[in-house]
Amino acid sequence: MSLTSTVHREARPAVVAGTCPGRLVRPIRAAVRRGLGWAKTADLVADALRANLNPDPDPAAILPAPLRRGDPSGYQSHLLYAEPDGTFSVSAMVWLPGQQTPVHDHVAWCVTAVLQGREHEEIFALDRGGQALRRIARNVNPRGSVSAFAPPGDIHRVRNTGSTVAISMHVYGADISRLGNSIRREYALPVRA
Ligand SMILES: [Fe+2]
């Protein structure tokens, strides 16, 4: 088992490689323990991050310097925290300029916070009876932006379109220490304009 895991098709269990401050874990836990549905839980967790990432969402507080540099082999996911009861986990994603995910969806709700750089997200819907994808939205998420989503309707692709390393925090309603990543399915389908 390695200290870090690259998000690939074959997910492996991950071990903690960074730190999620207690001032973030505690309000996330409180939101999750309300036991609400996925969409509402994601919204509450997003509120908790917005309230507690201020004043400065500093990547140095969660990842050691070598892991903040990025990896030319692909974007990296580093586990920061896994709740012992498996109800949520927190990772940091590190992207060099131009690196991107495959088009994918997720096993559970997710909340993302951009801590450094900016991320470009495309959102898709299945089209032609599931034989194609249709792009339905594009978002540019700068440093400090927090986004929440919950399946279904969560097919997306994320890319670092900036000129510097991008780092974001991801809170998942799943135990990434066991699953390796949050991807439910990748979509290698043509995209309709
Ligand atoms: Fe994703």
Side-chain angles (χ1 to χ4, degrees):
M1 192 181 297
S2 67
L3 284 176
T4 62
S5 63
T6 304
V7 179
H8 283 313
R9 286 162 184 79
E10 42 181 289
R12 298 183 188 133
V15 296
V16 172
T19 304
C20 187
R23 68 185 173 88
L24 297 178
V25 170
R26 285 187 291 273
I28 295 169
R29 180 183 295 131
V32 170
R33 286 189 177 176
R34 290 182 62 177
L36 303 174
W38 276 4
K40 187 63 182 167
T41 298
D43 286 343
L44 290 174
V45 170
D47 289 343
L49 287 192
R50 289 186 189 104
N52 291 281
L53 280 173
N54 292 320
D56 184 22
D58 183 2
I62 62 169
L63 277 180
L67 299 185
R68 299 198 306 273
R69 294 190 190 116
D71 186 330
S73 69
Y75 72 98
Q76 301 289 304
S77 174
H78 304 292
L79 183 65
L80 303 180
Y81 178 80
E83 181 77 340
D85 67 5
T87 52
F88 70 92
S89 51
V90 185
S91 293
M93 310 286 275
V94 181
W95 328 65
L96 290 173
Q99 291 182 334
Q100 67 177 8
T101 68
V103 179
H104 64 279
D105 61 10
H106 309 85
V107 297
W109 58 265
C110 178
V111 176
T112 65
V114 179
L115 307 184
Q116 175 180 302
R118 70 166 184 261
E119 295 178 359
H120 176 271
E121 178 189 32
E122 299 166 282
I123 302 172
F124 302 93
L126 285 172
D127 203 355
R128 298 189 177 176
Q131 299 305 302
L133 295 167
R134 183 165 40 89
R135 187 184 296 110
I136 57 175
R138 295 174 190 261
N139 302 310
V140 176
N141 298 318
R143 176 178 178 272
S145 63
V146 176
S147 308
F149 59 81
D154 60 318
I155 303 174
H156 75 164
R157 174 168 58 194
V158 181
R159 181 182 318 176
N160 178 3
T161 56
S163 57
T164 60
V165 176
I167 299 177
S168 53
M169 175 180 282
H170 296 238
V171 184
Y172 301 109
D175 186 352
I176 300 304
S177 72
R178 296 170 60 108
L179 299 176
N181 65 53
S182 70
I183 294 177
R184 185 183 77 98
R185 180 185 165 190
E186 295 180 10
Y187 296 84
L189 295 172
V191 177
R192 288 186 61 193

